[in-house]
Each structure stands twice: as structure tokens, then as C-alpha cells.
Amino acid sequence: MSWEDNVRKVTPYVAGEQPKKENVIKLNTNECPYPPAPGVAKLAARMEWDRLRLYPDPDASVLVNALAKYYHVSPKQVFAGVGSDDVLSMAFLTFFHGGKPILFPDITYSFYDVWAELYGIPYKTCALDQEFHIRPGDYRQPNGGVIFPNPNAPTGVFESLDVAEQILMDNRDVVVIVDEAYVDFGGESALPLLKKYDNLLVVQTFSKSRSMAGLRIGFCIGSEKMIGYLNDVKFSVNSYTLNLPSQILGAEAVRDDAYFKSVTGRIVATRERVKGELKKLGFSFPDSRANFIFAAHEAIPAGQIFQALRENDIYVRHWDRPRISNSLRITIGTDEQMDRLLDFLGRYVAGYGKCGASRIHAGT
Ligand code: PMP
């Protein structure tokens, strides 16, 4: 007998690499290439640091109230956490407790099965169709809950609200979570469906469209009853999840809607331009409504392109998994970053097969 026999053994989620060196073109974790709203830096400069002696507000009221106002819901319908990962993890723990398997797509955010394993929640995956779309009929089977991202990750594919509503109609007796981490880049939020479905939970994040991945802010909106249950579990794990700067600066970011719209608009414009350029280079991809493109090349294996890019300090994401091993998930950066990526890919594709193709240098 060893102490190790008593250890909870899990296979953790693997996050995208955060490079230690400078000058990397970082297109691997779907961060925003633009700074947070200008008011955030101004407010940070005026922070009363003495307040750090005290615990933060366990209800994160300043942030919750700002979000409630912005999304036209009651503050009792809003729950905030340390990134949407924290919110999702709490939601798994709270709502997926029925014993029956929860359902999610076979190609999706790879944290879902990790939480399911961690909390001992049985799960079943439903295969996306050839175009990476959800088949709503798959979710018409006995289950203990449903979760899917919309747009999906890592494909970028957006499902119409009709699909979300179909799934909700077929699953009135369990909680349905829509993970909207990427909804601000041209998707449509399921929030209006909250009026009809009190079993819907919509999860969003400040990490992508609000340029605040470093402060770790996520939130969800649902019926008052659901948020009550979520708070009971949260207050049974850790009362003070969101730190004070995140609460105050997050609320400030929500107030600057014009900046938010201009940043997301820029990303969408860059994404649409890059789609055209990637096609010219022989890449194909499902149409993305997120801040990334999930691209496969007609002739060159994704793993090789990934390595060549990495050797030239351009980081993208690649998974060696069934159905997606020949695709690269490329985050949309600034126009300049994307031009450097496209410039490298243009030379790499043209030189592929010729000796030394992978040693082409970006920026030369
Ligand atoms: N959901 C999806 C679909 C994501 O891709 C991510 C980002 N890895 C998250 C949730 C979590 O993001 P965060 O914790 O930064 O809010």
C-alpha cells in the first residue's frame, strides 16, 4: 500500500503553449491581439492598492451588475468566475449530477471530457457531420445534460439558433449549456432563448473579444434558480474566486461598448480577408464565425506545416486526434501578424518538396 493508491489520477487538459521567448507571432490560444478598452488601463493606474488587504466581494457585484445591465437581465441571473473554464467547471459540478451520460460533440472543446472524468460524470459524444455541423437529432436520446460551444471550437462552425432551440426543446428535463466563448465574432447569442427555457445556461468570457485573458474573467447567464444552485456549489468550494482588480477592471471593460464593437469588427474584417488568402494557397476550412480559422492544406500534412511555422516563431495549434489531425487552428491576429503568416505560408507552400522548405525564415 502506498499513498499513491489514494491519489485521484486524472489526465489533465493541455493548454496551448505560452512561449517564454519574445517576438513570437502567437496565434495558438485565440487571444485578442488588441489591448483592453482604454478605460481599463486608466482605472488600473488609479487603483487603490490598499484595498488588496481585504478579501474581494464574494458576489463580484460590481461586475455582475455591469453584465446584468449590459445584457438586460437581473443580477440574480448572472454568475461570474475565474475565466469561463471556472464557470464551466462549476456548472459541470452543479448541473451534471443525474447519473445518465451527458452529451457533447465528438469534436469540441477538449476540456469537457476532462471535467467529466474529474467529477465522475458519464458522457457520450455525438459525431458532427462531414461539414462539422451538429446533427440535432443525436441529442434526442436519454441523457443527463447537454453542452456544446457555439461557434464550436476548434472548427469555428456556428449553428443557427434554430439548432440550439431544437436541442433545448428535446431536452426540457436536463440542463443545456451553450458555451459562447467565441460568439462575439459574428455568431448569434442564445440569450434571447432564456425567456422560453429555464434550463438554458449561456457561458461567455472576457478572454477573447474583450482582450482580458490575463485577468481571467468568465460569466454565465441563466434562470435565477439555476444561478442560485451554481452559487451554492461555488460557495462550497471557494467563496472568493474573482480577485478585486478583475472585478473592477472587468466592469469597466463592459461599459465601453464602442471599443468592444470596434475590436470585434476589426478581427472579423481580418478573418474574412485571411480566408480569401488561405484559399489561394490551397487551404480549405469550414466557414468560421470565431476569431480563428481551422485550416487544412490540400497537399501538405498539417503536422509538417505546424513544425515549420514553429521553427519560424509562428505558433498555431495542432491536435493529433481522429478527424482533425490534418487541420491547424490559426488565431486571427493583427493584419500585420497575419500578413507575416501568409507571407511565410506562401513561400513554404511554393517551396514544399524542395530541399530545406522548412528552413524558410519568416520575415526575410
Ligand atoms: N470555452 C471554449 C470553447 C474555449 O475555447 C475556451 C478557451 N480555451 C474556454 C471556454 C475557456 O476560456 P477562458 O477560461 O479563458 O474564459
Side-chain angles (χ1 to χ4, degrees):
M1 182 74 184
S2 140
W3 59 267
E4 279 193 285
D5 296 330
N6 297 329
V7 169
R8 185 189 298 276
K9 297 182 187 77
V10 287
T11 309
Y13 170 76
V14 182
E17 189 176 350
Q18 294 297 108
K20 301 279 181 291
K21 56 184 180 182
E22 308 253 310
N23 299 326
V24 167
I25 298 184
K26 192 172 176 307
L27 308 174
N28 67 339
T29 49
N30 299 338
E31 291 140 327
C32 184
Y34 303 111
V40 171
K42 282 195 200 126
L43 197 57
R46 295 203 314 266
M47 266 296 278
E48 294 158 29
W49 296 109
D50 180 55
R51 284 178 68 186
L52 293 187
R53 289 183 302 104
L54 307 175
Y55 284 110
D57 172 10
D59 298 313
S61 305
V62 61
L63 178 64
V64 161
N65 290 340
L67 287 166
K69 192 168 166 211
Y70 185 79
Y71 290 103
H72 307 292
V73 293
S74 152
K76 289 194 178 127
Q77 290 183 265
V78 183
F79 173 91
V82 186
S84 52
D85 281 339
D86 179 42
V87 175
L88 287 163
S89 149
M90 285 291 127
F92 269 59
L93 195 53
T94 310
F95 300 119
F96 295 157
H97 191 51
K100 288 189 200 150
I102 60 164
L103 305 177
F104 49 83
D106 63 337
I107 300 165
T108 196
Y109 186 30
S110 45
F111 225 136
Y112 298 160
D113 53 352
V114 174
W115 287 313
E117 298 279 353
L118 177 65
Y119 298 137
I121 303 164
Y123 64 94
K124 217 165 136 179
T125 59
C126 303
L128 298 174
D129 71 14
Q130 283 302 102
E131 273 74 49
F132 294 138
H133 273 284
I134 283 178
R135 293 184 288 209
D138 291 351
Y139 295 81
R140 212 171 290 141
Q141 57 174 305
N143 67 72
V146 174
I147 178 162
F148 61 94
N150 201 23
N152 197 4
T155 62
V157 171
F158 175 72
E159 302 294 347
S160 74
L161 285 196
D162 289 345
V163 170
E165 182 153 20
Q166 187 60 58
I167 292 173
L168 277 159
M169 276 193 295
D170 291 335
N171 291 281
R172 301 299 302 247
D173 56 346
V174 293
V175 170
V176 175
I177 302 178
V178 184
D179 176 353
E180 295 188 339
Y182 302 104
V183 78
D184 297 322
F185 303 102
E188 196 183 346
S189 175
L191 282 171
L193 295 175
L194 281 172
K195 289 201 177 68
K196 284 207 256 175
Y197 302 93
D198 65 356
N199 59 326
L200 166 64
L201 193 74
V202 176
V203 182
Q204 294 194 8
T205 177
F206 282 49
S207 300
K208 325 289 178 183
S209 54
R210 294 190 186 273
S211 312
M212 295 173 99
L215 276 186
R216 307 299 295 126
I217 307 170
F219 65 97
C220 64
I221 302 182
S223 62
E224 287 189 17
K225 214 173 190 182
M226 279 177 99
I227 299 304
Y229 283 124
L230 202 46
N231 270 314
D232 287 346
V233 169
K234 174 219 148 145
F235 283 102
S236 307
V237 176
N238 179 0
S239 312
Y240 307 106
T241 48
L242 262 183
N243 65 60
L244 179 72
S246 296
Q247 295 187 22
I248 295 176
L249 302 177
E252 177 60 27
V254 178
R255 285 183 203 115
D256 194 344
D257 199 36
Y259 183 82
F260 170 68
K261 297 231 163 77
S262 86
V263 163
T264 49
R266 272 165 95 177
I267 302 268
V268 169
T270 305
R271 178 188 72 204
E272 295 308 307
R273 179 177 74 84
V274 170
K275 281 180 186 172
E277 298 297 326
L278 283 176
K279 271 189 196 146
K280 283 188 219 156
L281 292 174
F283 285 92
S284 60
F285 38 84
D287 193 38
S288 168
R289 295 249 215 129
N291 66 338
F292 54 83
I293 296 172
F294 197 51
H297 193 265
E298 61 196 6
I300 314 176
Q304 287 183 30
I305 307 176
F306 173 82
Q307 274 310 334
L309 284 168
R310 201 175 183 288
E311 283 162 23
N312 288 279
D313 291 335
I314 303 175
Y315 287 21
V316 298
R317 196 97 201 255
H318 175 242
W319 289 270
D320 202 3
R321 292 201 188 152
R323 294 186 78 188
I324 59 168
S325 61
N326 204 30
S327 295
L328 297 172
R329 193 195 66 190
I330 306 168
T331 302
I332 304 299
T334 61
D335 277 309
E336 197 219 331
Q337 288 176 320
M338 300 319 279
D339 286 342
R340 285 176 63 189
L341 167 89
L342 291 165
D343 179 57
F344 174 82
L345 286 175
R347 286 178 291 122
Y348 180 76
V349 168
Y352 184 74
K354 295 179 197 156
C355 172
S358 72
R359 279 190 292 278
I360 292 170
H361 283 284
T364 53

